[in-house]
Amino acid sequence: APISYHASGPAMEGELRIVGSRATAEPVRRWAAIFNREHPDVRLSVNLSGSGTVVDAMAEGRADLAPLVRPLKVSERALARGAGIRPRAVTVGIHKEGMWPDQPLYLYLKGDEANFIAVEFVRVALSEEGQAALSGSYAPVPEEIRTNADDVAGSSARASTTPWWGDLRGED
């Protein structure tokens, strides 16, 4: 059995707004249950209406975290940069079916503006319990590329200096 995730820091409260791909509903639901168990005072707002809404939602302040099964398009990265946002992808799983088979499952953070609640959600996804929650269309990140969840927890939102911000597709 996997080691259960336990929050390592102080109690959190506030809101985490997640906007992303419909295809990520199942892993996001499972990670949200784990997250809520440890952080009951954080309100999760989840809108998985489609990957094309992510950059606008981040630019307009309606999203802190974006689960996607594809890298951001060049046009989306340009739009984000124009809004002063440099989204960073963390690989948290492998999508095995559908339009993007064997594609990484990413959690995109708002780069330098990532908040500590969003970082903690990523930590949940990368934990042993979070990886064990992946099933069906999703598989865990292979050990050789998985980031240690404790590295995420100890990181700040300075994307340029933290190696766990997965820059696997040349996104900067």
Side-chain angles (χ1 to χ4, degrees):
I3 297 172
S4 293
Y5 162 81
H6 294 288
S8 61
M12 292 184 180
E13 55 183 54
E15 180 178 21
L16 177 61
R17 298 160 304 175
I18 301 172
V19 174
S21 170
R22 289 181 289 274
T24 65
E26 188 58 28
V28 168
R29 182 188 65 77
R30 290 176 185 201
W31 293 329
I34 297 166
F35 185 89
N36 278 333
R37 182 188 72 217
E38 294 293 318
H39 304 290
D41 294 330
V42 173
R43 185 171 95 68
L44 294 179
S45 170
V46 180
N47 178 359
L48 301 176
S49 58
S51 59
T53 64
V54 167
V55 174
D56 285 338
M58 283 188 168
E60 295 168 6
R62 294 182 289 112
D64 304 303
L65 186 67
L68 295 174
V69 292
R70 64 167 177 80
L72 288 177
K73 297 174 184 174
V74 171
S75 60
E76 291 168 327
R77 290 193 308 262
L79 179 64
R81 284 189 187 109
I85 298 169
R86 297 175 65 84
R88 301 295 179 174
V90 179
T91 302
V92 293
I94 304 296
H95 187 239
K96 300 182 70 62
E97 300 174 4
M99 187 173 178
W100 303 97
D102 297 322
Q103 176 72 28
L105 166 58
Y106 300 110
L107 287 179
Y108 276 89
L109 293 144
K110 289 176 74 171
D112 296 337
E113 295 181 27
N115 70 45
F116 68 98
I117 296 173
V119 171
E120 188 68 11
F121 194 93
V122 171
R123 187 174 177 276
V124 166
L126 288 171
S127 71
E128 280 192 46
E129 185 178 7
Q131 290 293 290
L134 293 170
S135 63
S137 297
Y138 293 93
V141 177
E143 283 290 330
E144 60 270 14
I145 65 169
R146 185 177 314 156
T147 299
N148 182 312
D150 291 331
D151 292 341
V152 174
S155 298
S156 71
R158 294 176 311 207
S160 60
T161 61
T162 54
W164 62 271
W165 300 89
D167 200 4
L168 302 176
R169 296 279 176 170
E171 295 162 311
D172 54 12

